Amino acid sequence: MKIKVVNGPNLNLLGVREPEIYGKKSYADLEKTIRDYAAAHGAEVEIFQSNGEGEIVDAIQQCLGRFDGIVINPAAYTHTSVAILDALRAVALPAVEVHLSDVDARENFRRVSYAGMACEARFTGQGFDGYLRAIDWLLAKTTGGKLTPSCGR
Ligand code: DQA
């Protein structure tokens, strides 16, 4: 199982940006958490982060034929980007949406998720664990395992 993890703008500033919302751990810590978990669960991961919408669209397009699933936290582009939604639909790979914070409990504008319209499951408000649950979900889907209903859309 090859999984691409795609992270959007400002996530590179984890640990520095609004630690009361996003926590004190750094982006490097997030990458390590994801890498260690994937290795322990027999998944191959490649992690990508960009502050640019176009770069994120390119990264999603490049998943075609190379990855079995996508874990995506489009960050602020979640709430604005039809281009990212279209890219996810174009490649048509199983995709899972992740947010560190509980986006539904914050400002109203964060309740809209364009990318989420192309995702099969979403994990929000669980911090780093959300990425791990997303990996679990993709592994369960591809191995015919049980998909946690509370997590699916
Ligand atoms: C975020 C939530 C978004 O609303 C915000 O713009 C982010 C991070 C999260 O992981 O909680 O940058 O995607």
Side-chain angles (χ1 to χ4, degrees):
M1 172 95 200
K2 288 187 72 179
I3 298 171
K4 182 85 171 189
V5 178
V6 177
N7 283 314
N10 301 306
L11 289 169
N12 55 311
L13 287 187
L14 282 180
V16 174
R17 73 180 289 216
E18 302 177 274
E20 65 288 356
I21 296 175
Y22 300 113
K24 290 186 180 147
K25 290 190 182 164
S26 69
Y27 187 72
D29 293 333
L30 174 62
E31 287 191 320
K32 183 173 167 18
T33 301
I34 294 169
R35 285 213 175 89
D36 289 352
Y37 189 83
H41 291 80
E44 252 182 79
V45 281
E46 199 173 283
I47 306 173
F48 173 84
Q49 189 275 331
S50 176
N51 294 326
E53 186 177 11
E55 283 78 24
I56 293 169
V57 168
D58 288 340
I60 294 167
Q61 289 187 5
Q62 285 156 17
C63 288
L64 206 52
R66 295 186 53 228
F67 289 89
D68 306 304
I70 298 173
V71 172
I72 184 160
N73 180 351
Y77 293 137
T78 306
H79 319 299
T80 60
S81 180
V82 177
I84 291 174
L85 165 63
D86 285 351
L88 289 168
R89 284 191 174 151
V91 299
L93 290 165
V96 180
E97 177 185 11
V98 172
H99 298 285
L100 296 161
S101 65
D102 182 0
V103 279
D104 292 326
R106 298 178 64 192
E107 300 96 325
N108 274 341
F109 66 82
R110 293 187 205 272
R111 289 170 183 246
V112 175
S113 173
Y114 288 97
M117 295 174 199
C119 291
E120 295 183 34
R122 98 192 288 237
F123 296 91
T124 67
Q126 298 184 39
F128 287 9
D129 275 357
Y131 288 86
L132 313 184
R133 299 294 77 78
I135 291 170
D136 286 343
W137 197 94
L138 286 171
L139 284 170
K141 182 176 166 97
T142 49
T143 58
K146 192 166 167 274
L147 299 175
T148 332
S150 59
C151 301
R153 272 186 178 268

